[in-house]
Amino acid sequence: MSYTDAPIVEDDVLHGAYRGEGGRLFWLALGTGMLTLLTLGIYRFWAKARIRRYLWSATAPGGNPFEYTGTGLEKFLGFLVAVVILAAYLGILNVILLFLGFSFIMGGDPNDPEVILRQIIVIYANLFALIPLIYFAQYRARRYLLSRTRWRGVRFGAEKGAWGYTWRGCLLAILSGITLGLLSPLATFKLEKYTWDRTWYGDAKFTQGGKWTSLYRAMIHVVIAIALFIGAAVLMVMDEQLALLGFVLLFVAYVWLIIGFIYYQVHAWRILAAHKVLGEDIRFRSLPRTGTIIGTYIVGTIAVSLLTALALIPVGFLIAGMGTLMGGGNPNDLFGSPQGILFIALIAFAYIFAIVFAGALSMVFITQPILRHYVEETSVIGASRLDAIRQRVGDEVVDAEGFADALDVGAAF
Amino acid sequence: MADPTPPLPTFAVAGRFFDGQSAGAKVVRAEAEQIKGRLLIYDEESGRLLDQWPLDSLRMIRDPGFGDGIVFFREGHDEARLNIASAEDAAALGAVAPNLRKVSVAKGTWRKVLLWSGGAVAALLLILFVILPTLADTLAGMIDPEQEERIGQTVVGQVERMLGSHNGSGFCSTPEGDAALAKMTERFTDHLDLPYELKVRVIRNPLVNAFAAPGGHVVIVSGLLDKADSPEEVAGVLAHEIGHVAARDPLRITLRTAGSAGIISMILGDFAGGALVILVSEQLMQASYTRDAEAGADEFAHELLRKAELPSEGMARFFEKLRDQYGDVDGAEEFLSSHPNLASRAIAAREAETRGDGTFVPVLDEAEWDALRAICK
């Protein structure tokens, strides 16, 4: 494929290197997870900052680690700002939307399906009001993240532009929605170009080149899956005897579609990476593989489930032991006796511990391996020219990524 | 980090230096002079002194994602980085840096945190308990009464479906029962000034309950009629529901709840076990809205009973009956409940003494009361 055979001067290539270790990350994630729990969620900002510091510094192309300089404190303060703005905005908007719904749309005979449909529209209208905020939050969060990322002592950065990103994002989403996803490569490309054309490393700017139509290559498996869906529908409608075959095909199409989406993400990434330029002529090559990503998900999920189950065995014995000790009395007595309360506390602890434990494990078995794969499959071409890049002035981002945190649209780490 | 040999007074380690001005790396020799307490960083190639850091301001990047080596920086001078790749050298240099892991918190940070947290909490309380309720109440008053009746029609239909019937088949009607219900309602309507007509109906279900929907719809569940021993008890409940109608509570509370929905879960975020905390907090907030409305409706009912020259004793007795049957909410539980404590509601009703001398014209005569009770039979 053309995007892989760009001229490569192999002696001026910097290969991505990732040196994170599972054990360290596990204890870090488990410890910060427990602290988050004990502080009723307040520690989550510090937990995220520490995990990022770890992941960033594990990423070390040419032996020079990335550095995350964000702090939990600034994330916490940014969250406070964002949550007040969002509470006011969403609260008032929801009341007004429902008022308008009440005044003009709702009401009438409850047995009329149209009345019910209108009611559902009114109830879910506020979800649509959230969508622009999500684009806004994502751009702000990315800008914050870049401003807190350094490599070889030099900062990354992004220009302001969250509003521009928001309206473009909404417009493109509507466009790919009404074309049933046919124009989603356009949306992917335009948003990528908008963000990367405003991204800097030191005093060097990134440029996203290429054409949006080249992303159609990445859509291939989504297209195949849709064809299979149509085939399954035709089979099921055509003949009763073929209906069973249709169901099998439907299942295949469903799995194919999921794989197709992952394939699209991976290959869109490849194509877009091949057309990114930093400064005058520093280029990139990034060739992650769909199979590796899916394999990591499957193996990781199995490993996380098995290990969590194993870890819960001793707790299970303890609970069972206490259960027999108390002789299975009236459940209402549980709250009365100290043993009963201990028993309930134990179960609650086991439940919550399992969630934190599984979260830490999936960091080790899913998140880190995928990050490792992406980093190791990425190279910088023309790396010697990096030496000429100069420092940039740091960006002040008061709200940190508070909007993304409040709306829970942040990345995996 | 293990440190097998005590560091010499002066020793040198090899590293890579980034001056924080450009992305170019410099291969350096870093000389730690313990007696002078400083670190001299020399360019390996030219031998030029690049930088000079006091050992006590030497810091490391914490939570490193690798086992060997340390990245050092100078506290207060945020730009330059010294990357020591060899684990041994990094440990040796770390050993002579007394404040290696110290995190300095800028002056006034705690003040800032307290100020911002306090401000955020105050702002959120203002939004949740002043701005949104005021907005909801104002807007509820602006909805056209005719439109409100139509909304109420939909709501009543949905409640009917929840109670297990549809198309109005769950509602009970007999000529005598309807007449008795109308008589009971009329006893109150003379003293009311509502933007719409009261539409009181009985629905068949064993639940002991009654509710008001937007637009003057009041539904009495037949289980309540079975439970009541006198028409005055039912009249007390009806007066309470009329209180909700008069205050336009169904609409107001729906609007308020829509405003606050999701805000709590946004504040608390998504963490393990958080779902329970969110559930409890949302219940707390919603309950505080409805409890006020309930208390208001009770007060309205006392006043309405007084105007209709009826005793509040029946209402009090009915609350006590409910308490005996279903138990009461006490202590902390009360804050989670959408209704105030039944015992105190009974006491309040009795204290209202809407008919001081105890004499009154009964709401319904024997025959009418029997007809009402039999409306769903």
Side-chain angles (χ1 to χ4, degrees), chain B residues 8-20:
Chain B
L8 303 162
T10 302
F11 63 96
V13 293
R16 243 176 299 183
F17 183 73
F18 295 98
D19 61 6

Side-chain angles (χ1 to χ4, degrees), chain A residues 19-21 24 28 36-37 40-41 44 50 53-54 57-58 62-65 67 69 73 76-77 79-81 83-84 86-88 90-92 94-96 98-99 101-111 115-116 118-119 150 152-155 201 352 355-356 386-387 389-391 398 406-408, chain B residues 16 18-25 61-68 71 73 78-81 83 109 112-113 116-117 119-120 123-124 127 131-132 135-136 139-140 142-143 147 150-151 153-154 156-158 161 166-168 251 254-256 258-261 263 265-273 277:
Chain A
R19 40 186 198 176
E21 297 158 17
R24 273 165 183 269
L28 183 63
T36 300
L37 202 69
L40 293 178
R44 68 182 186 272
R50 293 187 63 183
R53 249 191 334 248
Y54 175 93
S57 68
N64 295 314
E67 187 184 331
T69 58
L73 183 69
F76 174 65
L77 295 177
F79 175 76
L80 292 178
V81 175
V83 98
V84 168
L86 283 176
L90 289 176
I92 291 171
N94 284 347
V95 173
I96 290 176
L98 190 61
F99 165 75
F102 274 161
S103 302
F104 303 110
I105 304 174
M106 276 168 76
D109 181 2
N111 297 304
V115 169
I116 302 298
R118 279 184 295 169
Q119 188 178 21
R150 284 175 169 220
R152 298 159 56 128
V154 170
R155 283 183 209 90
Y201 173 56
I352 290 168
I355 295 176
V356 174
L386 287 168
D387 293 351
I389 290 174
R390 308 286 302 169
Q391 183 65 290
V398 177
L407 296 169
D408 204 14
Chain B
R16 243 176 299 183
F18 295 98
D19 61 6
Q21 299 306 309
S22 90
I61 306 288
R62 290 167 303 129
D63 298 315
F66 45 87
D68 48 353
V71 177
F73 67 99
D78 197 29
E79 305 287 65
R81 295 290 184 268
N83 182 357
T109 301
K112 191 177 179 190
V113 170
W116 285 45
S117 311
L124 288 173
I127 291 164
I131 296 176
L132 290 180
L135 181 69
L139 290 180
M142 285 163 60
I143 291 174
Q147 173 63 14
R150 282 163 45 76
I151 296 166
Q153 194 192 347
T154 320
V156 170
Q158 280 165 340
R161 218 163 286 177
H166 47 86
N167 286 341
L251 214 52
T254 312
L255 282 173
R256 281 184 182 200
S260 63
I263 289 181
S265 64
M266 195 170 76
I267 296 168
L268 287 171
D270 173 33
F271 69 98
V277 183

Side-chain angles (χ1 to χ4, degrees), chain A residues 166-194:
Chain A
T166 304
W167 70 257
R168 280 177 181 83
C170 291
L171 222 63
L172 288 165
I174 293 169
L175 208 61
S176 54
I178 54 177
T179 56
L180 300 176
L182 220 63
L183 282 182
S184 52
L186 179 72
T188 308
F189 182 82
K190 287 286 178 194
L191 289 182
E192 185 87 353
K193 185 162 172 59
Y194 183 86

Side-chain angles (χ1 to χ4, degrees), chain B residues 195-372:
Chain B
Y196 23 65
E197 201 189 332
L198 270 180
K199 292 158 284 287
V200 185
R201 283 188 288 175
V202 180
I203 192 165
R204 185 182 294 111
N205 195 283
L207 283 177
V208 183
N209 209 344
F211 62 90
H217 293 273
V218 174
V219 177
I220 296 172
V221 185
S222 65
L224 187 140
L225 295 177
D226 300 335
K227 193 80 195 158
D229 288 315
S230 73
E232 283 70 32
E233 290 181 14
V234 179
V237 173
L238 182 61
H240 172 90
E241 297 306 332
I242 293 173
H244 283 312
V245 170
R248 302 185 106 169
D249 281 338
L251 214 52
R252 280 191 320 128
I253 289 174
T254 312
L255 282 173
R256 281 184 182 200
T257 314
S260 63
I263 289 181
I264 295 278
S265 64
M266 195 170 76
I267 296 168
L268 287 171
D270 173 33
F271 69 98
L276 182 71
V277 183
I278 290 166
L279 211 69
V280 170
S281 317
E282 291 212 317
Q283 181 65 28
L284 264 174
M285 197 168 60
Q286 242 198 59
S288 83
Y289 286 169
T290 44
R291 251 195 337 268
D292 288 348
E294 295 300 328
D298 273 356
E299 251 169 65
F300 184 93
H302 303 159
E303 196 49 43
L304 193 57
L305 288 169
R306 183 170 295 129
K307 285 181 187 157
E309 300 181 338
L310 279 170
S312 51
E313 180 62 25
M315 195 172 159
R317 262 210 303 277
F318 196 75
F319 287 146
E320 285 164 355
K321 218 178 274 176
L322 285 178
R323 189 197 58 200
D324 295 342
Q325 178 92 12
Y326 300 108
D328 213 337
V329 284
D330 278 313
E333 255 183 289
E334 194 184 346
F335 290 99
L336 284 171
S337 163
S338 58
H339 285 64
N341 167 297
L342 282 167
S344 56
R345 291 176 79 187
I347 292 168
R350 193 159 282 132
E351 274 175 359
E353 269 195 20
T354 53
R355 209 65 198 140
D357 54 3
T359 58
F360 62 94
V361 182
V363 186
L364 303 175
D365 63 29
E366 279 298 321
E368 288 163 336
W369 175 228
D370 287 343
L372 181 58

Side-chain angles (χ1 to χ4, degrees), chain A residues 245-259:
Chain A
L245 193 66
F247 272 116
V248 174
L249 201 58
L250 195 69
F251 178 73
V252 172
Y254 182 69
V255 175
W256 206 300
L257 188 68
I258 294 172
I259 295 171

